[in-house]
Amino acid sequence: MTIAVRLRDATTTLVEIVPHLVRPYPLDEIQRLIHVSAEHPRPEGAHGHVRRFALAVLALLDLMGDGCW
């Protein structure tokens, strides 16, 4: 399984969980994550895509804080 596929799976989970844990609702971060998740770059753009994807996931994890884990 590729990293991008795993991050797409994480996107589904985060979009479902974040509204219950983060107030106010992080609309910009969720939209950024969904937008990056929908991208399917060519192989030469895959490295940058995975980096943007991971940063979008990390932004939401940071908002959730340490108490969520």
Side-chain angles (χ1 to χ4, degrees):
M1 188 178 280
T2 67
I3 293 172
V5 171
R6 290 181 183 195
L7 290 172
R8 282 189 191 91
D9 291 343
T11 297
T12 302
T13 303
L14 284 171
V15 169
E16 292 173 357
I17 292 173
V18 166
H20 301 284
L21 301 174
V22 179
R23 298 279 190 253
Y25 184 76
L27 183 61
D28 291 340
E29 289 83 359
I30 291 288
Q31 286 178 334
R32 184 175 306 114
L33 179 61
I34 292 170
H35 176 76
V36 174
S37 174
E39 293 177 3
H40 294 278
R42 293 183 175 172
E44 61 270 9
H47 183 76
H49 170 69
V50 169
R51 180 179 293 160
R52 287 189 308 278
F53 209 158
L55 288 172
V57 169
L58 285 173
L60 282 170
L61 293 176
D62 284 343
L63 289 173
M64 290 170 64
D66 293 334
C68 294
W69 307 108

